Amino acid sequence: MIGFSRTKRSAASNAGYADLFGFIGFLFCLLTIVASTMATTAPAEPLAAVLKSVNDFTLDLYLKAAEAKGPGKNILVSPLSASLVTAMVHAGARGKTLEEITKGLRYPTDKDTLEKGFSSLHDLLANTPNVTLEIANKVFVEKTAHAKLVEGYKKTITEVHKSDVESADFLNNHDKERISINNWVSDKTHEKIKDLLQPGVVTPATAMVLVNAIYFYGKWKEQFDKKQTYPEDFYITKSQTVKVPMMHMTKNMRYAEIPELDAKAVELCYTNENVCLQIILPNAKDGLEGLQQKLRAGAFDLSNIPFYPTKVQLSLPKFKLEETINIKDLFKKMGMQSMFEQSADFSGMFDGVPVAVSDAIQKTFMDVNEEGTEAAAATACVSRRKRCIEMPVELFVDHAFLFRLVNVASVIFVGCHCEPTPVSGEDDACDTNEDPLFNDNPQPDDNVRPHKPSHCEL
């Protein structure tokens, strides 16, 4: 949110698995949709420009989050959610504040290209078949300042960014309004994201809270057999292991060797084959840090992984991640400083009401198991008034790894998995009958699951 104030293997295969889990990153991407499949009325150029900006911003956001958390820590961020909510902040920025956000988020500098691109992106995301992808934006404005909301800004956030605008009584009932915003986020994320805004974030000085919520649920095109899930070693360091529930599958998949990163990759697609989870596994058990350094140095572009079809014997751990990240600190490290300072210029947002972003928060959730993936994210910005027959390739993901969830359009989530939850026993590790997401009594629509939100408060 942003707020303004007011899975016995050879030693070689074990090493390969350890390397993948050592560099576990969860990157949920929405890739560039080919022109023939784009359901949009806007020109392809603006959409392509905005998608490129989100993809470029993804790597920087992930690496800044990795630096902040330190080695050996799980990471899960949603660059798409952060970009969507900050786009609404950007729309009201002027001067140096505008320049910093444009550069930090990698946005096109041409206003018309940016707005047409984001409008097309929202249309594209709303039409992703065979999986559930729900995205919602909402802006809560202090009722005494609502009348001073610049008309052009209101038109941009409602028509371009598809956001609802609602008056809120932050001045007299700020905590009640905070709870109301949290309830909206919980509802939009199917209760996967709760308590996005903690007490104290919203105050009587809060002028505006901008929120984005994303929910994703997709079933694998080729599901894992639950009977083939059992405890195996996962390397948390080069020599230390813990037991984790490991899933196994031998199928034709898209696979790649990435010598520039000293890593391998595999792509698992959902029932919509344009949406996939990409696992990037370092060849060394402790290779995640080195892989990240190479990415930081620009050694390889993850959007151009040279996948090719082949039979793969895959071992992949089940995992569930939940994160709360201070986007404000990451944004500052990316050069976006003035939006949080008294010198912030949001004159394109309010007429005569000087504001600055006081908080920018994101909460994310991801659950990967035998049947598919469920993920959610919420970002808020808060602003206050100033003051062929072949032997399969074997891939054993038994150490930290980087992962990307992708669609042919743009990056939604990115992260790494380094701290697995040890299994308490074989029965616990392999019994999936009690999984509330994938049980024998599915919801009426198996693809419908809740989503998580992101928000920004102004």
Side-chain angles (χ1 to χ4, degrees), residues 6 142 168-181 197-206 209 384 457:
R6 229 215 215 222
E142 159 56 38
D169 188 6
F170 297 127
L171 183 60
N172 300 302
N173 295 291
H174 62 279
D175 206 53
K176 180 179 178 181
E177 296 292 0
R178 177 186 66 84
I179 293 172
S180 178
I181 294 171
L197 301 177
Q198 295 297 303
V201 172
V202 177
T203 73
T206 296
V209 179
R384 295 180 183 175
E457 177 183 343

Side-chain angles (χ1 to χ4, degrees), residues 310-322:
T310 189
K311 184 171 289 188
V312 178
Q313 182 178 339
L314 175 65
S315 300
L316 178 70
K318 294 173 58 174
F319 62 92
K320 182 184 292 187
L321 301 176
E322 295 185 63

Side-chain angles (χ1 to χ4, degrees), residues 326-389:
N326 187 323
I327 297 294
K328 176 179 178 179
D329 290 348
L330 299 183
F331 276 10
K332 285 185 173 181
K333 292 178 180 179
M334 295 167 70
M336 292 175 276
Q337 296 272 355
S338 68
M339 64 189 287
F340 303 104
E341 300 172 347
Q342 287 299 307
S343 60
D345 184 353
F346 287 104
S347 55
M349 185 177 292
F350 288 104
D351 183 8
V353 181
V355 298
V357 177
S358 57
D359 293 279
I361 305 161
Q362 183 177 98
K363 295 189 74 171
T364 52
F365 167 89
M366 180 176 243
D367 185 1
V368 175
N369 57 34
E370 293 90 348
E371 293 193 17
T373 300
E374 181 177 35
T379 304
C381 292
V382 179
S383 71
R384 295 180 183 175
R385 298 177 186 268
K386 289 185 180 177
R387 309 227 216 265
C388 74
I389 300 179

